Amino acid sequence: MLSNSVKRLFVRQIKSSIRTTSVRSLSAADDVTILTKPSENIKGDYDVIIAGGGMVGCTLACAMAKDSILSNLKVLLLEGGPDKEYKWKPEYSNRVVALNQNTKALMTSLDVWKRVEKMRLQPVRYMQVWDASSDAMISFSSSELLDDDVAYIVENDILLHAVNTELTSTDNNVKIVYDAKIAGYQLPKQDNSTVKSYVQMSNGDTYTCQLLIGADGANSAVRRAMGVQYLSWNYDQMGVVATLNLAEEYTNTTAWQRWIPTGPIAILPLDSKRSSLVWSTWQDHAKQLLKLPEDQFVDALNDALWKQYPRSGSVETVTSFVSSWLRRAGLPDGAARQLPPSIRSISPNSRAAFPLAFGHSTRYIAPGVVLIGDAAHRVHPLAGQGVNLGFGDVADLTKFLSNAMYSGLDITHTDWMSKYESTRQRHNVPTQVMIEMLHRLYTVDLMPVVLARSVGVQITNALQPLKKMILSHAAT
Amino acid sequence: MSLWKLNKCIFDKSKTVVSSKVPQPGSKLSLRRNQTEVQNPPIGQSFNKDSTIDAADVKFFSQRMKEWWNPNGEFRLLHSMNLIRVPFVRDGLVSATKKDLHPLRDKKILDVGCGGGILSEGLARLGAAVTGIDASKELIEIAEHHKHVDPKIAENKPKYIHSTVEDHAKSTSNFYDGIVASEVIEHVNNQELFVKSCVHALKPGGRIFFTTPNRTRWSQFFVIFFAENVLKTIPQGAHQYEKFITPNELTFLLERNNCHVELTYGVTLNPVTGQWDFSQFQHLMYAIQAVKLS
């Protein structure tokens, strides 16, 4: 009921925004076709096929190998990329993720976490988010949150490698096919456990399975084959990433985020001397930033972090008024703030950019098919939640499927599948809506909007229980 | 207005029947049953105090042969109820320390009043050696026929016997690890003999499970009137209010037969999602788990 009303609200918001933003329709299949007649060349029959061997898909395969019940299933993991040898490098990769406590718990239960710890990770103990258009700021520190770290910054490569190593270190029920180019899918039309899904490869091989799991990312071909509604739009923004060398060495456990009128700039700690950058900005600007010589890029970045943006006098008046009242009430007024680091240089050739978009699949399930990760939902990276939502999908899917099998149900039984869908949507959709609202709130530079968000942030920052609530939602 | 009349009419009819909610030790519990049968001869035409069979009920369910195995048909609530009663029986018989696919392996279970075998097959899927008995020859035939359909139980098909529990218990004293009577005791005559026979077939230390509607105004309205006439989720005429038994009465019967009641849950159906759930609310339906003392 609740999720339905949230969904309705969400759809309404989307409908109104469709007029202003470009909507990319993915309903027509581009390169992957929906098979009408699968080829007879059946290469193998599996209980479960996971399409997509990214971080989320691999983690699911690993979870299926570790669970005492799911390890009875015959699982095939199809990965489009090659089986490349991973080499640990002293330089940091420019693609990093912020993992929350829930993801840490999942990775610990899969014995992946200790592998990550052995390689490289940086805990975030303090987080400061501030607005360039006013004095408002909000901070989260680990001492507020059950004495645990706010998040962990891990390179994508390292996490994927750790999961893969754990997955392949033992003889198990998961078979991995690399360089898997999928030509098309044929999915069961109605709910009938005897009908299988067909996965046709471009080399003519066909695999069959009872349960197909789409972990194939935002452009999911499985989702297209399901024929579900997918709401999506581009932000016309890109995330510019780079590995930064700091001007001074210090205990670097703070995540910084400054909202400037073009979008948020996030500086995520890697070690005492280095941080990782995610700079979300308009597409033209992002392309411009990529073309700049490296020293000029560093100047532009420091500028964006330190520059005083023109401020409205009325916003100043109101925010200082609110601070004085907060001070009198004995609440934190946000004046005590840390200063962000200065950037000395960037690691050579570490700059890159990726497009930012929003996506929501109205259904996560169809008869015999389940979507997880970015295939089901895609968010702006401003809150560092995207991959954590995907790992949450993995944890819940494993739990529900394992429970269903322990009760003697078929692996495509609608009961566990609809539980998975409603549980995940109840968590993911509100998170997506919050992130979307923040994005909209901060890409405007209109005085009343700046005023409203600044006062809102000031008050939120002062109210410890509210902050705890935000953090605990982000941690699950 | 009409609803009120109807309720009043039901109330008046049943007022004469229920004299005491909790039977006193030594009193004959089946007295209440006898009175009912005398007052309403059409239900208990074949009433016999040495038998648990209610011929009218047996006939009622036998006539609905084809419907049994349609998961969306007349008995869909029994199918969806498997989602909670299979785990209920499983968790009563094994602890969940190490989960595997066949947790009930090596467990001998008797499904009393198995009907078309919906619950028997659900338990067989977990590895249990299930024996299903039912008073209806036709239903046993349906169950026999259907047990070859599911490949998941090809290695472990339930055994079905056309028998009453009192006859079956004669040859199988102290035999089963678990006895299940799900949605059955409200259909039998002589509930005292029924419980006694069930417990007789159970090993000391074995567990016995019941799920059944309570005898309250709640269940009279929702389980009988509302479900049969308005929602039509239960076939009309499936239940008679007078035959319902309360948790107290059933606990009393079990404890008099050397059992200790370990758990009593309320069982509720979410009308929106159609999902069953255990809850604190025992006024509609409930589930009881008891252990046989040595």
Side-chain angles (χ1 to χ4, degrees):
Chain A
M1 287 298 276
L2 182 79
S3 77
N4 269 344
S5 59
V6 169
K7 263 188 242 170
R8 222 174 299 132
L9 202 85
F10 191 45
V11 168
R12 204 178 306 149
Q13 204 223 341
I14 283 163
K15 273 185 187 151
S16 64
S17 66
I18 276 172
R19 281 180 225 118
T20 52
T21 48
S22 64
V23 179
R24 195 157 55 139
S25 160
L26 286 170
S27 56
D30 309 347
D31 49 339
V32 176
T33 53
I34 295 152
L35 295 179
T36 46
K37 213 175 181 187
S39 102
E40 294 302 306
N41 181 17
I42 307 271
K43 190 91 183 292
D45 178 40
Y46 291 85
D47 294 316
V48 179
I49 292 183
I50 302 169
M55 284 188 285
V56 171
C58 271
T59 306
L60 179 65
C62 191
M64 286 190 157
K66 295 262 171 178
D67 185 275
S68 64
I69 290 206
L70 301 183
S71 54
N72 292 294
L73 294 171
K74 229 177 122 191
V75 180
L76 175 68
L77 177 65
L78 296 174
E79 164 54 29
D83 181 12
K84 44 177 188 250
E85 192 80 9
Y86 176 81
K87 274 218 182 76
W88 192 88
K89 280 174 278 185
E91 304 91 57
Y92 279 85
S93 142
N94 57 8
R95 294 304 307 269
V96 299
V97 284
L99 304 180
N100 64 18
Q101 288 295 339
N102 224 34
T103 303
K104 181 190 173 185
L106 172 72
M107 292 303 173
T108 309
S109 74
L110 300 178
D111 303 322
V112 169
W113 195 252
K114 57 175 198 271
R115 290 184 186 273
V116 176
E117 274 178 329
K118 250 185 236 163
M119 288 188 280
R120 208 153 49 187
L121 67 79
Q122 181 74 349
V124 177
R125 305 228 159 86
Y126 185 81
M127 200 163 85
Q128 181 169 303
V129 182
W130 73 111
D131 195 339
S133 309
S134 78
D135 266 336
M137 78 100 177
I138 189 165
S139 66
F140 300 93
S141 80
S142 57
S143 53
E144 290 165 2
L145 179 82
L146 316 159
D147 297 321
D148 221 332
D149 302 318
V150 178
Y152 301 89
I153 308 298
V154 180
E155 292 151 78
N156 293 18
D157 292 351
I158 285 188
L159 184 60
L160 188 59
H161 175 67
V163 176
N164 256 325
T165 324
E166 190 58 39
L167 179 60
T168 50
S169 62
T170 50
D171 235 359
N172 55 35
N173 57 327
V174 181
K175 182 179 155 60
I176 310 176
V177 171
Y178 292 96
D179 293 312
K181 300 280 175 278
I182 297 167
Y185 297 97
Q186 192 197 41
L187 309 179
K189 291 245 163 18
Q190 75 280 52
D191 195 27
N192 184 344
S193 59
T194 53
V195 181
K196 290 179 185 281
S197 292
Y198 290 83
V199 181
Q200 167 115 46
M201 316 304 290
S202 54
N203 63 4
D205 295 346
T206 301
Y207 296 101
T208 59
C209 65
Q210 283 189 60
L211 180 63
L212 176 67
I213 295 173
D216 44 354
N219 261 326
S220 172
V222 173
R223 187 184 64 227
R224 266 174 281 155
M226 279 163 75
V228 294
Q229 266 195 336
Y230 184 64
L231 296 154
S232 72
W233 53 81
N234 274 322
Y235 287 123
D236 295 327
Q237 279 203 330
M238 290 186 107
V240 177
V241 293
T243 306
L244 311 174
N245 298 313
L246 307 179
E248 285 164 58
E249 202 171 323
Y250 78 122
T251 10
N252 190 6
T253 52
T254 304
W256 308 91
Q257 182 149 299
R258 188 183 201 204
W259 292 94
I260 61 173
T262 51
I265 302 181
I267 311 277
L268 307 170
L270 293 175
D271 64 8
S272 61
K273 285 177 290 192
R274 281 169 288 192
S275 282
S276 184
L277 169 76
V278 186
W279 185 349
S280 309
T281 184
W282 303 111
Q283 262 163 2
D284 324 339
H285 186 219
K287 282 173 190 154
Q288 222 178 318
L289 286 173
L290 288 183
K291 278 186 211 132
L292 285 179
E294 291 188 346
D295 52 336
Q296 282 182 35
F297 177 80
V298 172
D299 290 345
L301 177 59
N302 278 323
D303 212 37
L305 280 177
W306 290 94
K307 182 180 155 190
Q308 275 282 350
Y309 282 81
R311 293 183 175 193
S312 140
S314 30
V315 174
E316 291 281 89
T317 318
V318 175
T319 51
S320 63
F321 177 74
V322 172
S323 321
S324 72
W325 270 101
L326 288 173
R327 228 180 352 261
R328 264 189 234 178
L331 294 166
D333 59 354
R337 61 181 64 198
Q338 297 188 19
L339 296 178
S342 293
I343 312 305
R344 182 168 50 84
S345 62
I346 63 169
S347 300
N349 304 318
S350 69
R351 267 181 297 173
F354 57 94
L356 307 181
F358 174 94
H360 164 71
S361 178
T362 53
R363 300 301 310 265
Y364 289 5
I365 57 167
V369 196
V370 182
L371 295 178
I372 60 170
D374 277 5
H377 42 76
R378 188 178 182 189
V379 291
H380 196 287
L382 66 90
Q385 284 295 314
V387 80
N388 290 307
L389 294 182
F391 288 129
D393 295 347
V394 170
D396 276 348
L397 188 149
T398 321
K399 184 181 81 191
F400 287 129
L401 179 56
S402 175
N403 263 338
M405 290 178 69
Y406 187 51
S407 302
L409 302 183
D410 287 331
I411 59 171
T412 54
H413 199 284
T414 48
D415 180 62
W416 81 263
M417 287 173 67
S418 48
K419 265 187 203 152
Y420 163 79
E421 182 183 60
S422 56
T423 311
R424 286 322 293 167
Q425 290 198 340
R426 251 172 245 187
H427 183 265
N428 296 347
V429 174
T431 311
Q432 289 179 279
V433 172
M434 280 304 296
I435 293 172
E436 181 65 21
M437 272 161 49
L438 279 177
H439 170 73
R440 279 164 195 275
L441 203 56
Y442 277 94
T443 39
V444 192
D445 209 16
L446 220 62
M447 194 277 284
V449 180
V450 175
L451 180 66
R453 78 187 184 209
S454 302
V455 173
V457 160
Q458 277 184 307
I459 291 171
T460 311
N461 187 49
L463 299 176
Q464 211 56 264
L466 190 59
K467 266 159 76 169
K468 255 190 188 161
M469 254 168 61
I470 297 171
L471 272 188
S472 68
H473 182 85
T476 54
Chain B
M1 185 62 198
S2 59
L3 204 70
W4 179 81
K5 258 187 199 162
L6 180 108
N7 209 9
K8 188 169 179 296
C9 151
I10 297 170
F11 184 79
D12 288 345
K13 204 171 92 187
S14 52
K15 201 161 57 178
T16 54
V17 179
V18 190
S19 47
S20 68
K21 294 258 164 164
V22 182
Q24 298 303 307
S27 79
K28 198 164 161 53
L29 188 84
S30 51
L31 197 66
R32 183 177 64 73
R33 296 235 33 80
N34 284 346
Q35 282 179 354
T36 316
E37 303 315 327
V38 172
Q39 282 164 6
N40 302 318
I43 302 171
Q45 276 164 344
S46 70
F47 181 71
N48 170 356
K49 75 178 171 60
D50 298 327
S51 160
T52 59
I53 298 179
D54 184 321
D57 271 15
V58 170
K59 189 161 166 251
F60 177 90
F61 287 102
S62 305
Q63 280 166 350
R64 285 162 173 74
M65 288 179 58
K66 286 183 212 107
E67 277 297 312
W68 271 91
W69 278 98
N70 177 2
N72 302 313
E74 271 190 1
F75 294 99
R76 62 180 175 275
L77 288 182
L78 285 182
H79 283 275
S80 61
M81 201 182 203
N82 264 15
L83 296 174
I84 64 160
R85 56 188 179 171
V86 170
F88 177 58
V89 173
R90 177 198 68 201
D91 294 342
L93 291 176
V94 292
S95 65
T97 44
K98 200 180 168 292
K99 294 185 176 182
D100 65 53
L101 276 183
H102 299 108
L104 294 181
R105 168 187 330 105
D106 310 327
K107 298 282 180 203
K108 293 192 287 285
I109 296 180
L110 177 67
D111 182 5
V112 184
C114 61
I118 296 172
L119 180 57
S120 301
E121 289 196 10
L123 293 169
R125 275 184 162 221
L126 296 185
V130 182
T131 307
I133 59 169
D134 202 285
S136 158
K137 198 158 182 261
E138 287 86 354
L139 290 183
I140 289 294
E141 273 166 19
I142 300 174
E144 269 296 326
H145 182 252
H146 192 273
K147 74 179 184 186
H148 307 291
V149 175
D150 184 0
K152 286 253 171 70
I153 55 166
E155 307 290 310
N156 184 35
K157 291 175 184 166
K159 197 169 82 185
Y160 293 111
I161 303 168
H162 171 219
S163 168
T164 61
V165 67
E166 57 271 26
D167 288 344
H168 186 72
K170 277 177 200 150
S171 54
T172 55
S173 70
N174 296 340
F175 181 73
Y176 291 102
D177 301 289
I179 309 257
V180 187
S182 181
E183 308 304 301
V184 174
I185 196 166
E186 73 272 22
H187 298 292
V188 303
N189 277 326
N190 199 343
Q191 291 167 332
E192 197 178 6
L193 176 62
F194 181 81
V195 172
K196 194 180 169 197
S197 311
C198 286
V199 174
H200 184 73
L202 190 63
K203 268 184 197 168
R207 298 289 194 294
I208 180 163
F209 307 88
F210 288 92
T211 70
T212 188
N214 199 341
R215 193 178 68 251
T216 60
R217 294 294 159 215
W218 287 89
S219 65
Q220 183 176 31
F221 182 74
F222 285 106
V223 179
I224 300 182
F225 171 72
F226 202 64
E228 290 183 14
N229 300 308
V230 182
L231 297 178
K232 298 189 195 298
T233 46
I234 295 177
Q236 276 198 352
H239 291 123
Q240 285 89 45
Y241 176 72
E242 296 76 22
K243 299 177 82 177
F244 287 174
I245 183 168
T246 66
N248 274 345
E249 290 165 355
L250 186 53
T251 303
F252 175 78
L253 283 181
L254 283 163
E255 307 224 316
R256 205 158 67 169
N257 282 294
N258 196 28
C259 286
H260 170 64
V261 171
E262 296 176 308
L263 289 171
T264 309
Y265 293 135
V267 174
T268 47
L269 177 70
N270 182 330
V272 181
T273 59
Q275 275 174 351
W276 292 96
D277 239 320
F278 288 122
S279 69
Q280 296 286 320
F281 188 77
Q282 298 180 6
H283 295 289
L284 280 174
M285 300 177 73
Y286 62 96
I288 276 190
Q289 172 189 322
V291 60
K292 183 177 181 180
L293 307 170
S294 48

